[in-house]
Amino acid sequence: MEIYKDLTSASSKEFEKLLSNQLSKINIEEGKIIEGKINNITEKFVFLFIDGLKSEPVLDINELKSIGLTEKIKIGETIPVLLEKIEDKNGEVLVSASKAQKIKGWEKLVEAYENKEPIMGKITSKCKGGCIVEHIDTGSLMFLPGSQISDKPMKDISHLMNEPQKFALIKLDKVRGNACVSRKEIVSSFKKEDKAKIIEKYNVGDIIKNAEVKGYSSFGCFFSVNGELDVLVHLQEISYSRVNHPDEVFNIGEKHDLKVISVDKEKLQVGCSVKQLSPDPFDHIENYELNKIYKVKVQKIMDFGAFCELEPGLTTLLHSSELSWNKKNVSAKKLFKVGDEIDCVITEIDKDKRRVAISYKLTQENPYEIFEKNNPVGTIIDGVVNAKNEYSLFVKFDGFDLEAFLHCNDLTYSNNGEKELSNYKKGDKIKVKVLEIKPDEQKIRIGHRQVNPDPIEWFKDKKINQIITVKIISTDNKGIFVKPEGCELEFLIKKSQIAISAADARPSRFTGGEKVDCAISELDLNKRKISLSMKLLEEIERKEALDKYGTESSGKNLPFSSLSEDLKKKEKE
């Protein structure tokens, strides 16, 4: 026991060292990060010395290179590792440098997330739905959603790849070990600070010069001020006139002066107005008179017309229907360009609805009125077929830039106007009679058959029940078609009007070309309605015979008067 008497002896110091190692071994636990010193390096492996372990842990050199520790592969350098197993089935110590780095990196991420501090990282690659960001300090990989790359849509992010930059941690999943970051929050925070400084420069009543139209919305128009601030002009602040959408007044890229009407330093918003740059024109709208010509300036051209300015702040719509007398679908683009000054007539002023209506065509003489003066109703004039549809022709006349309407029923006096219409094509000459003119509605109705005598006049001296001779033209299941002698019109005698007896009322009895007598059963020249009937003629003749010779029962009391009926009865039995 004398070895313990002198604690400074070599034996005592060696015993103390062994005891210390044993204690260190007892404190070392699996799953903890410990420091290891490199004491040997081979071509593929690095050997570490860790106090308290009975053997030297081995690390793959490629593992150290993959986590960016190439410079530390030197004898004597200290490397943090995760102690996975103190002793495996082969009696070796298992450690991992990459896992140690991830754990340390995760701890840093958790600390930054809890303190709401930004972290440094770089975008290394793209993936589905976003990008992969590598934490520069620890090499941890994090997900950057596409919506969090910037505060504006970006089609190309090549300039951001592999560039060290700040990111905000927006989500951490400690169970799965996943991290989600945002670049948008960093960009927005910088802009927010800058925007607050910019907004401090503006006060209510300030005039902003040359603000550029940036975009539209259903509630207003956005302007860019010197490229540093976006301001909104509400729909109601665009014009004193009624505006349904900003694109009726502005074009993208145009520059306009604005007046600041509100500044919200908390929401970092500046509200502006265009109309307040000038007095309200509706306060003196009485200065304008209806049906009087005024100069207007074309501001914007649309598919349905053009917006024109009577004076600053007073904008009105020139509708496409008010551009031309004779062209119904004329485009304003073919007549004007933005900036043109044109003459227009004010057709309506509604102060309550803040609306002014104008017309361009009223500054020109109505061509339909000119046509009416030169060719009143009843005039016969030559024209040319300009267009055609399934039921009418449109005819133009020399010296007049307009079209007249000719219905197929006014082509011929016959009942088959559609068949007659098929005989005409564009460019054909045609003689017509003016039937109706409506200058205010820009309508002219003409007829071709009215040029010739009306064949219905043949019935002018005729009356109902009068007997006439007709020629059978053709037959069908409906009846027989006939034409009176000396008349060009064709009529249908219906099957029910051929004879009194149903057995005789057969159209097949006739082959065509025969001449037969019939009676006029209906006659209305104003409505051009005439009906003929062979049955009616038979009834008239029977009535005349009865009136002359007696009743139908005459002779029934004579001998053998019922013989025919008795014979028929016997045949049936």
Side-chain angles (χ1 to χ4, degrees), residues 4-56:
Y4 299 104
K5 290 180 181 179
D6 186 6
L7 296 177
T8 60
S9 65
S11 299
S12 297
K13 288 182 179 180
E14 185 178 357
F15 179 80
E16 185 181 354
K17 184 178 180 182
L18 290 171
L19 183 61
S20 176
N21 286 344
Q22 186 66 24
L23 291 172
S24 296
K25 184 174 181 180
I26 293 171
N27 291 331
I28 291 175
E29 296 179 9
E30 292 180 357
K32 287 190 175 183
I33 297 174
I34 55 178
E35 298 288 331
K37 185 185 290 186
I38 299 175
N39 65 355
N40 189 17
I41 302 172
T42 64
E43 186 177 347
K44 294 183 178 181
F45 301 101
V46 170
F47 295 86
L48 302 177
F49 171 75
I50 299 175
D51 287 339
L53 296 180
K54 67 178 183 179
S55 61
E56 293 180 334

Side-chain angles (χ1 to χ4, degrees), residues 339-358:
D340 284 353
E341 289 191 355
I342 59 175
D343 289 333
C344 285
V345 174
I346 294 180
T347 58
E348 180 189 3
I349 298 176
D350 192 326
K351 190 173 182 179
D352 295 333
K353 294 182 179 179
R354 304 181 69 83
R355 183 174 63 194
V356 177
I358 58 175

Side-chain angles (χ1 to χ4, degrees), residues 247 251 298-308 317-324 327 329-340 342 360:
D247 63 1
N251 293 311
V298 179
Q299 279 193 321
K300 189 175 180 68
I301 296 176
M302 309 291 286
D303 293 335
F304 51 83
F307 286 94
C308 302
L317 172 64
L318 173 58
H319 196 270
S320 56
S321 62
E322 295 296 329
L323 293 176
S324 174
K327 296 178 182 178
N329 296 317
V330 64
S331 173
K333 295 178 182 178
K334 295 181 179 180
L335 299 177
F336 319 119
K337 61 180 183 293
V338 175
D340 284 353
I342 59 175
Y360 175 71

